[in-house]
PDB file of all heavy atoms in Angstrom:
ATOM      1  N   ALA A   1      -0.339  -5.780   5.293  1.00 98.00           N
ATOM      2  CA  ALA A   1       0.165  -6.716   6.294  1.00 98.00           C
ATOM      3  C   ALA A   1      -0.399  -6.373   7.663  1.00 98.00           C
ATOM      4  O   ALA A   1      -0.835  -5.244   7.916  1.00 98.00           O
ATOM      5  CB  ALA A   1       1.691  -6.682   6.334  1.00 98.00           C
ATOM      6  N   ARG A   2      -0.383  -7.373   8.547  1.00 98.00           N
ATOM      7  CA  ARG A   2      -0.764  -7.170   9.944  1.00 98.00           C
ATOM      8  C   ARG A   2       0.482  -7.272  10.815  1.00 98.00           C
ATOM      9  O   ARG A   2       1.332  -8.159  10.608  1.00 98.00           O
ATOM     10  CB  ARG A   2      -1.786  -8.208  10.391  1.00 98.00           C
ATOM     11  CG  ARG A   2      -2.287  -8.000  11.831  1.00 98.00           C
ATOM     12  CD  ARG A   2      -3.139  -9.158  12.299  1.00 98.00           C
ATOM     13  NE  ARG A   2      -4.321  -9.322  11.485  1.00 98.00           N
ATOM     14  CZ  ARG A   2      -5.465  -8.663  11.687  1.00 98.00           C
ATOM     15  NH1 ARG A   2      -5.546  -7.786  12.683  1.00 98.00           N
ATOM     16  NH2 ARG A   2      -6.502  -8.876  10.908  1.00 98.00           N
ATOM     17  N   MET A   3       0.617  -6.356  11.754  1.00 98.00           N
ATOM     18  CA  MET A   3       1.718  -6.398  12.712  1.00 98.00           C
ATOM     19  C   MET A   3       1.361  -7.372  13.831  1.00 98.00           C
ATOM     20  O   MET A   3       0.352  -7.175  14.523  1.00 98.00           O
ATOM     21  CB  MET A   3       1.977  -5.004  13.277  1.00 98.00           C
ATOM     22  CG  MET A   3       2.488  -4.010  12.255  1.00 98.00           C
ATOM     23  SD  MET A   3       2.614  -2.327  12.922  1.00 98.00           S
ATOM     24  CE  MET A   3       0.944  -1.726  12.608  1.00 98.00           C
ATOM     25  N   HIS A   4       2.164  -8.413  13.991  1.00 97.00           N
ATOM     26  CA  HIS A   4       1.842  -9.445  14.980  1.00 97.00           C
ATOM     27  C   HIS A   4       3.124 -10.084  15.505  1.00 97.00           C
ATOM     28  O   HIS A   4       3.926 -10.613  14.747  1.00 97.00           O
ATOM     29  CB  HIS A   4       0.951 -10.518  14.344  1.00 97.00           C
ATOM     30  CG  HIS A   4       0.508 -11.590  15.298  1.00 97.00           C
ATOM     31  ND1 HIS A   4      -0.401 -11.353  16.311  1.00 97.00           N
ATOM     32  CD2 HIS A   4       0.868 -12.893  15.401  1.00 97.00           C
ATOM     33  CE1 HIS A   4      -0.591 -12.462  16.995  1.00 97.00           C
ATOM     34  NE2 HIS A   4       0.161 -13.419  16.459  1.00 97.00           N
ATOM     35  N   LEU A   5       3.329  -9.985  16.808  1.00 97.00           N
ATOM     36  CA  LEU A   5       4.455 -10.632  17.490  1.00 97.00           C
ATOM     37  C   LEU A   5       5.796 -10.305  16.824  1.00 97.00           C
ATOM     38  O   LEU A   5       6.625 -11.189  16.591  1.00 97.00           O
ATOM     39  CB  LEU A   5       4.247 -12.151  17.554  1.00 97.00           C
ATOM     40  CG  LEU A   5       3.006 -12.612  18.330  1.00 97.00           C
ATOM     41  CD1 LEU A   5       2.888 -14.142  18.276  1.00 97.00           C
ATOM     42  CD2 LEU A   5       3.073 -12.146  19.775  1.00 97.00           C
ATOM     43  N   GLY A   6       5.994  -9.040  16.510  1.00 98.00           N
ATOM     44  CA  GLY A   6       7.273  -8.601  15.975  1.00 98.00           C
ATOM     45  C   GLY A   6       7.498  -8.908  14.516  1.00 98.00           C
ATOM     46  O   GLY A   6       8.606  -8.706  14.005  1.00 98.00           O
ATOM     47  N   GLN A   7       6.453  -9.363  13.809  1.00 98.00           N
ATOM     48  CA  GLN A   7       6.577  -9.686  12.390  1.00 98.00           C
ATOM     49  C   GLN A   7       5.421  -9.076  11.608  1.00 98.00           C
ATOM     50  O   GLN A   7       4.346  -8.824  12.158  1.00 98.00           O
ATOM     51  CB  GLN A   7       6.568 -11.205  12.169  1.00 98.00           C
ATOM     52  CG  GLN A   7       7.779 -11.933  12.709  1.00 98.00           C
ATOM     53  CD  GLN A   7       7.713 -13.413  12.383  1.00 98.00           C
ATOM     54  OE1 GLN A   7       6.656 -14.028  12.433  1.00 98.00           O
ATOM     55  NE2 GLN A   7       8.853 -13.985  12.024  1.00 98.00           N
ATOM     56  N   LEU A   8       5.658  -8.842  10.318  1.00 98.00           N
ATOM     57  CA  LEU A   8       4.593  -8.471   9.402  1.00 98.00           C
ATOM     58  C   LEU A   8       4.065  -9.735   8.735  1.00 98.00           C
ATOM     59  O   LEU A   8       4.832 -10.496   8.132  1.00 98.00           O
ATOM     60  CB  LEU A   8       5.106  -7.500   8.337  1.00 98.00           C
ATOM     61  CG  LEU A   8       5.504  -6.099   8.811  1.00 98.00           C
ATOM     62  CD1 LEU A   8       5.979  -5.275   7.636  1.00 98.00           C
ATOM     63  CD2 LEU A   8       4.352  -5.401   9.527  1.00 98.00           C
ATOM     64  N   ARG A   9       2.763  -9.929   8.845  1.00 98.00           N
ATOM     65  CA  ARG A   9       2.137 -11.109   8.266  1.00 98.00           C
ATOM     66  C   ARG A   9       1.246 -10.682   7.107  1.00 98.00           C
ATOM     67  O   ARG A   9       0.395  -9.804   7.247  1.00 98.00           O
ATOM     68  CB  ARG A   9       1.326 -11.859   9.320  1.00 98.00           C
ATOM     69  CG  ARG A   9       2.212 -12.384  10.451  1.00 98.00           C
ATOM     70  CD  ARG A   9       1.477 -13.355  11.343  1.00 98.00           C
ATOM     71  NE  ARG A   9       2.374 -13.947  12.325  1.00 98.00           N
ATOM     72  CZ  ARG A   9       2.006 -14.847  13.231  1.00 98.00           C
ATOM     73  NH1 ARG A   9       0.733 -15.252  13.273  1.00 98.00           N
ATOM     74  NH2 ARG A   9       2.878 -15.349  14.077  1.00 98.00           N
ATOM     75  N   LEU A  10       1.442 -11.306   5.971  1.00 98.00           N
ATOM     76  CA  LEU A  10       0.751 -10.924   4.746  1.00 98.00           C
ATOM     77  C   LEU A  10      -0.746 -11.176   4.857  1.00 98.00           C
ATOM     78  O   LEU A  10      -1.183 -12.255   5.245  1.00 98.00           O
ATOM     79  CB  LEU A  10       1.313 -11.704   3.551  1.00 98.00           C
ATOM     80  CG  LEU A  10       0.649 -11.432   2.188  1.00 98.00           C
ATOM     81  CD1 LEU A  10       0.910 -10.007   1.750  1.00 98.00           C
ATOM     82  CD2 LEU A  10       1.165 -12.423   1.145  1.00 98.00           C
ATOM     83  N   LEU A  11      -1.534 -10.157   4.501  1.00 98.00           N
ATOM     84  CA  LEU A  11      -2.973 -10.313   4.352  1.00 98.00           C
ATOM     85  C   LEU A  11      -3.348 -10.427   2.881  1.00 98.00           C
ATOM     86  O   LEU A  11      -4.101 -11.310   2.485  1.00 98.00           O
ATOM     87  CB  LEU A  11      -3.704  -9.144   4.997  1.00 98.00           C
ATOM     88  CG  LEU A  11      -3.611  -9.043   6.528  1.00 98.00           C
ATOM     89  CD1 LEU A  11      -4.377  -7.840   7.030  1.00 98.00           C
ATOM     90  CD2 LEU A  11      -4.119 -10.325   7.184  1.00 98.00           C
ATOM     91  N   ARG A  12      -2.793  -9.504   2.062  1.00 98.00           N
ATOM     92  CA  ARG A  12      -3.075  -9.557   0.634  1.00 98.00           C
ATOM     93  C   ARG A  12      -2.186  -8.559  -0.090  1.00 98.00           C
ATOM     94  O   ARG A  12      -1.815  -7.530   0.480  1.00 98.00           O
ATOM     95  CB  ARG A  12      -4.547  -9.227   0.362  1.00 98.00           C
ATOM     96  CG  ARG A  12      -4.981  -9.416  -1.088  1.00 98.00           C
ATOM     97  CD  ARG A  12      -6.474  -9.247  -1.228  1.00 98.00           C
ATOM     98  NE  ARG A  12      -6.879  -9.159  -2.625  1.00 98.00           N
ATOM     99  CZ  ARG A  12      -8.119  -8.940  -3.041  1.00 98.00           C
ATOM    100  NH1 ARG A  12      -9.096  -8.806  -2.154  1.00 98.00           N
ATOM    101  NH2 ARG A  12      -8.402  -8.867  -4.326  1.00 98.00           N
ATOM    102  N   ALA A  13      -1.834  -8.871  -1.306  1.00 98.00           N
ATOM    103  CA  ALA A  13      -1.076  -7.954  -2.154  1.00 98.00           C
ATOM    104  C   ALA A  13      -1.983  -7.453  -3.281  1.00 98.00           C
ATOM    105  O   ALA A  13      -2.834  -8.201  -3.799  1.00 98.00           O
ATOM    106  CB  ALA A  13       0.149  -8.639  -2.741  1.00 98.00           C
ATOM    107  N   PHE A  14      -1.816  -6.186  -3.644  1.00 98.00           N
ATOM    108  CA  PHE A  14      -2.611  -5.561  -4.684  1.00 98.00           C
ATOM    109  C   PHE A  14      -1.680  -4.942  -5.720  1.00 98.00           C
ATOM    110  O   PHE A  14      -0.505  -4.696  -5.460  1.00 98.00           O
ATOM    111  CB  PHE A  14      -3.506  -4.453  -4.107  1.00 98.00           C
ATOM    112  CG  PHE A  14      -4.403  -4.889  -2.990  1.00 98.00           C
ATOM    113  CD1 PHE A  14      -3.965  -4.857  -1.670  1.00 98.00           C
ATOM    114  CD2 PHE A  14      -5.693  -5.325  -3.255  1.00 98.00           C
ATOM    115  CE1 PHE A  14      -4.805  -5.248  -0.632  1.00 98.00           C
ATOM    116  CE2 PHE A  14      -6.537  -5.720  -2.220  1.00 98.00           C
ATOM    117  CZ  PHE A  14      -6.087  -5.677  -0.911  1.00 98.00           C
ATOM    118  N   ASP A  15      -2.234  -4.646  -6.893  1.00 98.00           N
ATOM    119  CA  ASP A  15      -1.541  -3.893  -7.937  1.00 98.00           C
ATOM    120  C   ASP A  15      -2.229  -2.537  -8.046  1.00 98.00           C
ATOM    121  O   ASP A  15      -3.444  -2.466  -8.266  1.00 98.00           O
ATOM    122  CB  ASP A  15      -1.586  -4.631  -9.268  1.00 98.00           C
ATOM    123  CG  ASP A  15      -0.726  -3.969 -10.333  1.00 98.00           C
ATOM    124  OD1 ASP A  15      -1.000  -2.797 -10.685  1.00 98.00           O
ATOM    125  OD2 ASP A  15       0.226  -4.616 -10.814  1.00 98.00           O
ATOM    126  N   ALA A  16      -1.471  -1.445  -7.870  1.00 98.00           N
ATOM    127  CA  ALA A  16      -2.062  -0.102  -7.875  1.00 98.00           C
ATOM    128  C   ALA A  16      -2.771   0.207  -9.181  1.00 98.00           C
ATOM    129  O   ALA A  16      -3.787   0.906  -9.201  1.00 98.00           O
ATOM    130  CB  ALA A  16      -0.984   0.946  -7.603  1.00 98.00           C
ATOM    131  N   ARG A  17      -2.276  -0.330 -10.299  1.00 97.00           N
ATOM    132  CA  ARG A  17      -2.903  -0.054 -11.591  1.00 97.00           C
ATOM    133  C   ARG A  17      -4.297  -0.678 -11.668  1.00 97.00           C
ATOM    134  O   ARG A  17      -5.224  -0.096 -12.228  1.00 97.00           O
ATOM    135  CB  ARG A  17      -2.009  -0.580 -12.718  1.00 97.00           C
ATOM    136  CG  ARG A  17      -0.706   0.172 -12.859  1.00 97.00           C
ATOM    137  CD  ARG A  17       0.311  -0.590 -13.658  1.00 97.00           C
ATOM    138  NE  ARG A  17       0.720  -1.819 -12.969  1.00 97.00           N
ATOM    139  CZ  ARG A  17       1.750  -2.580 -13.337  1.00 97.00           C
ATOM    140  NH1 ARG A  17       2.475  -2.226 -14.394  1.00 97.00           N
ATOM    141  NH2 ARG A  17       2.060  -3.681 -12.674  1.00 97.00           N
ATOM    142  N   GLU A  18      -4.453  -1.878 -11.085  1.00 96.00           N
ATOM    143  CA  GLU A  18      -5.735  -2.561 -11.128  1.00 96.00           C
ATOM    144  C   GLU A  18      -6.675  -2.056 -10.036  1.00 96.00           C
ATOM    145  O   GLU A  18      -7.875  -1.875 -10.269  1.00 96.00           O
ATOM    146  CB  GLU A  18      -5.516  -4.065 -10.972  1.00 96.00           C
ATOM    147  CG  GLU A  18      -4.675  -4.685 -12.069  1.00 96.00           C
ATOM    148  CD  GLU A  18      -4.332  -6.136 -11.792  1.00 96.00           C
ATOM    149  OE1 GLU A  18      -4.749  -6.640 -10.714  1.00 96.00           O
ATOM    150  OE2 GLU A  18      -3.658  -6.767 -12.622  1.00 96.00           O
ATOM    151  N   THR A  19      -6.131  -1.808  -8.833  1.00 95.00           N
ATOM    152  CA  THR A  19      -6.961  -1.462  -7.682  1.00 95.00           C
ATOM    153  C   THR A  19      -7.357   0.003  -7.670  1.00 95.00           C
ATOM    154  O   THR A  19      -8.490   0.353  -7.321  1.00 95.00           O
ATOM    155  CB  THR A  19      -6.224  -1.799  -6.377  1.00 95.00           C
ATOM    156  OG1 THR A  19      -5.778  -3.154  -6.429  1.00 95.00           O
ATOM    157  CG2 THR A  19      -7.119  -1.598  -5.169  1.00 95.00           C
ATOM    158  N   LEU A  20      -6.408   0.885  -8.024  1.00 95.00           N
ATOM    159  CA  LEU A  20      -6.637   2.325  -7.932  1.00 95.00           C
ATOM    160  C   LEU A  20      -6.708   3.025  -9.273  1.00 95.00           C
ATOM    161  O   LEU A  20      -7.081   4.191  -9.344  1.00 95.00           O
ATOM    162  CB  LEU A  20      -5.522   2.968  -7.091  1.00 95.00           C
ATOM    163  CG  LEU A  20      -5.321   2.390  -5.689  1.00 95.00           C
ATOM    164  CD1 LEU A  20      -4.146   3.072  -5.013  1.00 95.00           C
ATOM    165  CD2 LEU A  20      -6.584   2.537  -4.855  1.00 95.00           C
ATOM    166  N   GLY A  21      -6.303   2.337 -10.338  1.00 95.00           N
ATOM    167  CA  GLY A  21      -6.310   2.953 -11.660  1.00 95.00           C
ATOM    168  C   GLY A  21      -5.193   3.951 -11.864  1.00 95.00           C
ATOM    169  O   GLY A  21      -5.306   4.846 -12.713  1.00 95.00           O
ATOM    170  N   VAL A  22      -4.101   3.818 -11.106  1.00 97.00           N
ATOM    171  CA  VAL A  22      -2.955   4.707 -11.258  1.00 97.00           C
ATOM    172  C   VAL A  22      -1.690   3.869 -11.415  1.00 97.00           C
ATOM    173  O   VAL A  22      -1.588   2.754 -10.891  1.00 97.00           O
ATOM    174  CB  VAL A  22      -2.796   5.656 -10.045  1.00 97.00           C
ATOM    175  CG1 VAL A  22      -3.987   6.570  -9.925  1.00 97.00           C
ATOM    176  CG2 VAL A  22      -2.581   4.868  -8.746  1.00 97.00           C
ATOM    177  N   ASP A  23      -0.743   4.399 -12.147  1.00 98.00           N
ATOM    178  CA  ASP A  23       0.563   3.766 -12.332  1.00 98.00           C
ATOM    179  C   ASP A  23       1.561   4.517 -11.470  1.00 98.00           C
ATOM    180  O   ASP A  23       1.930   5.658 -11.781  1.00 98.00           O
ATOM    181  CB  ASP A  23       0.970   3.800 -13.805  1.00 98.00           C
ATOM    182  CG  ASP A  23       2.271   3.066 -14.078  1.00 98.00           C
ATOM    183  OD1 ASP A  23       2.988   2.706 -13.111  1.00 98.00           O
ATOM    184  OD2 ASP A  23       2.579   2.845 -15.270  1.00 98.00           O
ATOM    185  N   LEU A  24       1.989   3.911 -10.380  1.00 98.00           N
ATOM    186  CA  LEU A  24       2.860   4.606  -9.433  1.00 98.00           C
ATOM    187  C   LEU A  24       4.246   4.891 -10.011  1.00 98.00           C
ATOM    188  O   LEU A  24       4.964   5.737  -9.487  1.00 98.00           O
ATOM    189  CB  LEU A  24       2.994   3.789  -8.139  1.00 98.00           C
ATOM    190  CG  LEU A  24       1.704   3.610  -7.335  1.00 98.00           C
ATOM    191  CD1 LEU A  24       1.988   2.837  -6.053  1.00 98.00           C
ATOM    192  CD2 LEU A  24       1.057   4.952  -7.025  1.00 98.00           C
ATOM    193  N   SER A  25       4.607   4.208 -11.094  1.00 96.00           N
ATOM    194  CA  SER A  25       5.899   4.499 -11.716  1.00 96.00           C
ATOM    195  C   SER A  25       5.878   5.835 -12.460  1.00 96.00           C
ATOM    196  O   SER A  25       6.923   6.373 -12.802  1.00 96.00           O
ATOM    197  CB  SER A  25       6.292   3.378 -12.683  1.00 96.00           C
ATOM    198  OG  SER A  25       5.425   3.337 -13.806  1.00 96.00           O
ATOM    199  N   LYS A  26       4.670   6.396 -12.668  1.00 96.00           N
ATOM    200  CA  LYS A  26       4.530   7.661 -13.381  1.00 96.00           C
ATOM    201  C   LYS A  26       3.888   8.739 -12.515  1.00 96.00           C
ATOM    202  O   LYS A  26       3.521   9.803 -13.025  1.00 96.00           O
ATOM    203  CB  LYS A  26       3.694   7.452 -14.649  1.00 96.00           C
ATOM    204  CG  LYS A  26       4.291   6.453 -15.623  1.00 96.00           C
ATOM    205  CD  LYS A  26       3.376   6.233 -16.811  1.00 96.00           C
ATOM    206  CE  LYS A  26       3.958   5.206 -17.769  1.00 96.00           C
ATOM    207  NZ  LYS A  26       3.054   4.941 -18.927  1.00 96.00           N
ATOM    208  N   ALA A  27       3.728   8.466 -11.224  1.00 97.00           N
ATOM    209  CA  ALA A  27       3.018   9.384 -10.334  1.00 97.00           C
ATOM    210  C   ALA A  27       3.886   9.737  -9.138  1.00 97.00           C
ATOM    211  O   ALA A  27       4.884   9.083  -8.842  1.00 97.00           O
ATOM    212  CB  ALA A  27       1.707   8.750  -9.864  1.00 97.00           C
ATOM    213  N   TRP A  28       3.477  10.817  -8.444  1.00 98.00           N
ATOM    214  CA  TRP A  28       4.086  11.145  -7.149  1.00 98.00           C
ATOM    215  C   TRP A  28       3.212  10.537  -6.068  1.00 98.00           C
ATOM    216  O   TRP A  28       1.980  10.567  -6.146  1.00 98.00           O
ATOM    217  CB  TRP A  28       4.146  12.660  -6.967  1.00 98.00           C
ATOM    218  CG  TRP A  28       4.657  13.047  -5.601  1.00 98.00           C
ATOM    219  CD1 TRP A  28       5.946  13.271  -5.238  1.00 98.00           C
ATOM    220  CD2 TRP A  28       3.869  13.252  -4.415  1.00 98.00           C
ATOM    221  NE1 TRP A  28       6.025  13.584  -3.899  1.00 98.00           N
ATOM    222  CE2 TRP A  28       4.765  13.577  -3.372  1.00 98.00           C
ATOM    223  CE3 TRP A  28       2.509  13.181  -4.131  1.00 98.00           C
ATOM    224  CZ2 TRP A  28       4.335  13.842  -2.066  1.00 98.00           C
ATOM    225  CZ3 TRP A  28       2.072  13.429  -2.844  1.00 98.00           C
ATOM    226  CH2 TRP A  28       2.991  13.764  -1.827  1.00 98.00           C
ATOM    227  N   PHE A  29       3.841   9.945  -5.027  1.00 98.00           N
ATOM    228  CA  PHE A  29       3.044   9.368  -3.951  1.00 98.00           C
ATOM    229  C   PHE A  29       3.821   9.401  -2.641  1.00 98.00           C
ATOM    230  O   PHE A  29       5.047   9.502  -2.603  1.00 98.00           O
ATOM    231  CB  PHE A  29       2.625   7.929  -4.277  1.00 98.00           C
ATOM    232  CG  PHE A  29       3.775   6.977  -4.485  1.00 98.00           C
ATOM    233  CD1 PHE A  29       4.342   6.277  -3.429  1.00 98.00           C
ATOM    234  CD2 PHE A  29       4.301   6.773  -5.757  1.00 98.00           C
ATOM    235  CE1 PHE A  29       5.391   5.391  -3.629  1.00 98.00           C
ATOM    236  CE2 PHE A  29       5.355   5.898  -5.969  1.00 98.00           C
ATOM    237  CZ  PHE A  29       5.901   5.205  -4.895  1.00 98.00           C
ATOM    238  N   THR A  30       3.063   9.343  -1.562  1.00 98.00           N
ATOM    239  CA  THR A  30       3.654   9.275  -0.226  1.00 98.00           C
ATOM    240  C   THR A  30       2.659   8.620   0.714  1.00 98.00           C
ATOM    241  O   THR A  30       1.457   8.546   0.419  1.00 98.00           O
ATOM    242  CB  THR A  30       4.031  10.679   0.291  1.00 98.00           C
ATOM    243  OG1 THR A  30       4.818  10.558   1.469  1.00 98.00           O
ATOM    244  CG2 THR A  30       2.787  11.494   0.627  1.00 98.00           C
ATOM    245  N   GLY A  31       3.136   8.136   1.849  1.00 98.00           N
ATOM    246  CA  GLY A  31       2.270   7.673   2.911  1.00 98.00           C
ATOM    247  C   GLY A  31       2.269   8.703   4.029  1.00 98.00           C
ATOM    248  O   GLY A  31       3.323   9.208   4.418  1.00 98.00           O
ATOM    249  N   ARG A  32       1.083   9.058   4.534  1.00 98.00           N
ATOM    250  CA  ARG A  32       0.995  10.003   5.643  1.00 98.00           C
ATOM    251  C   ARG A  32      -0.124   9.547   6.563  1.00 98.00           C
ATOM    252  O   ARG A  32      -1.257   9.334   6.102  1.00 98.00           O
ATOM    253  CB  ARG A  32       0.745  11.425   5.142  1.00 98.00           C
ATOM    254  CG  ARG A  32       1.274  12.526   6.083  1.00 98.00           C
ATOM    255  CD  ARG A  32       2.802  12.575   6.067  1.00 98.00           C
ATOM    256  NE  ARG A  32       3.354  13.302   7.199  1.00 98.00           N
ATOM    257  CZ  ARG A  32       3.848  14.548   7.123  1.00 98.00           C
ATOM    258  NH1 ARG A  32       3.848  15.194   5.981  1.00 98.00           N
ATOM    259  NH2 ARG A  32       4.359  15.127   8.195  1.00 98.00           N
ATOM    260  N   ASN A  33       0.207   9.360   7.837  1.00 98.00           N
ATOM    261  CA  ASN A  33      -0.720   8.819   8.799  1.00 98.00           C
ATOM    262  C   ASN A  33      -1.261   7.477   8.296  1.00 98.00           C
ATOM    263  O   ASN A  33      -0.470   6.580   8.011  1.00 98.00           O
ATOM    264  CB  ASN A  33      -1.834   9.818   9.108  1.00 98.00           C
ATOM    265  CG  ASN A  33      -1.329  11.023   9.882  1.00 98.00           C
ATOM    266  OD1 ASN A  33      -0.794  10.888  10.976  1.00 98.00           O
ATOM    267  ND2 ASN A  33      -1.489  12.208   9.306  1.00 98.00           N
ATOM    268  N   ASP A  34      -2.593   7.377   8.138  1.00 97.00           N
ATOM    269  CA  ASP A  34      -3.210   6.095   7.780  1.00 97.00           C
ATOM    270  C   ASP A  34      -3.617   6.013   6.319  1.00 97.00           C
ATOM    271  O   ASP A  34      -4.473   5.208   5.958  1.00 97.00           O
ATOM    272  CB  ASP A  34      -4.431   5.838   8.667  1.00 97.00           C
ATOM    273  CG  ASP A  34      -5.530   6.886   8.470  1.00 97.00           C
ATOM    274  OD1 ASP A  34      -5.283   7.895   7.763  1.00 97.00           O
ATOM    275  OD2 ASP A  34      -6.625   6.698   9.019  1.00 97.00           O
ATOM    276  N   SER A  35      -2.991   6.834   5.445  1.00 98.00           N
ATOM    277  CA  SER A  35      -3.431   6.872   4.045  1.00 98.00           C
ATOM    278  C   SER A  35      -2.259   6.929   3.071  1.00 98.00           C
ATOM    279  O   SER A  35      -1.187   7.461   3.390  1.00 98.00           O
ATOM    280  CB  SER A  35      -4.332   8.092   3.798  1.00 98.00           C
ATOM    281  OG  SER A  35      -5.522   8.009   4.552  1.00 98.00           O
ATOM    282  N   LEU A  36      -2.497   6.377   1.893  1.00 98.00           N
ATOM    283  CA  LEU A  36      -1.614   6.537   0.744  1.00 98.00           C
ATOM    284  C   LEU A  36      -2.138   7.708  -0.073  1.00 98.00           C
ATOM    285  O   LEU A  36      -3.330   7.778  -0.390  1.00 98.00           O
ATOM    286  CB  LEU A  36      -1.619   5.269  -0.107  1.00 98.00           C
ATOM    287  CG  LEU A  36      -0.986   5.361  -1.496  1.00 98.00           C
ATOM    288  CD1 LEU A  36       0.509   5.629  -1.404  1.00 98.00           C
ATOM    289  CD2 LEU A  36      -1.259   4.077  -2.291  1.00 98.00           C
ATOM    290  N   HIS A  37      -1.255   8.645  -0.394  1.00 98.00           N
ATOM    291  CA  HIS A  37      -1.618   9.806  -1.209  1.00 98.00           C
ATOM    292  C   HIS A  37      -0.884   9.720  -2.544  1.00 98.00           C
ATOM    293  O   HIS A  37       0.336   9.479  -2.575  1.00 98.00           O
ATOM    294  CB  HIS A  37      -1.237  11.101  -0.495  1.00 98.00           C
ATOM    295  CG  HIS A  37      -1.990  11.323   0.778  1.00 98.00           C
ATOM    296  ND1 HIS A  37      -3.170  12.036   0.829  1.00 98.00           N
ATOM    297  CD2 HIS A  37      -1.728  10.914   2.050  1.00 98.00           C
ATOM    298  CE1 HIS A  37      -3.605  12.068   2.079  1.00 98.00           C
ATOM    299  NE2 HIS A  37      -2.756  11.398   2.846  1.00 98.00           N
ATOM    300  N   VAL A  38      -1.640   9.924  -3.630  1.00 98.00           N
ATOM    301  CA  VAL A  38      -1.080   9.831  -4.981  1.00 98.00           C
ATOM    302  C   VAL A  38      -1.506  11.053  -5.777  1.00 98.00           C
ATOM    303  O   VAL A  38      -2.702  11.399  -5.802  1.00 98.00           O
ATOM    304  CB  VAL A  38      -1.572   8.559  -5.700  1.00 98.00           C
ATOM    305  CG1 VAL A  38      -0.932   8.467  -7.091  1.00 98.00           C
ATOM    306  CG2 VAL A  38      -1.262   7.308  -4.887  1.00 98.00           C
TER     307      VAL A  38
END
């Protein structure tokens, strides 16, 4: 999403299994700074 005028505006949605090849329901993950860590 893009932050704009106090709202989040959708750019695109992805599926982690298709985009990254990982299943987040079976993995550990966190967001830190500007990255997703899995």
Side-chain angles (χ1 to χ4, degrees):
R2 183 188 299 274
M3 294 174 273
H4 183 70
L5 299 178
Q7 292 183 321
L8 292 180
R9 297 192 174 181
L10 178 66
L11 293 180
R12 187 173 169 184
F14 305 88
D15 187 298
R17 292 163 295 191
E18 299 173 359
T19 308
L20 305 177
V22 297
D23 184 349
L24 296 182
S25 67
K26 300 177 181 178
W28 175 90
F29 60 89
T30 191
R32 207 71 197 256
N33 291 301
D34 63 352
S35 296
L36 168 65
H37 296 268
V38 182

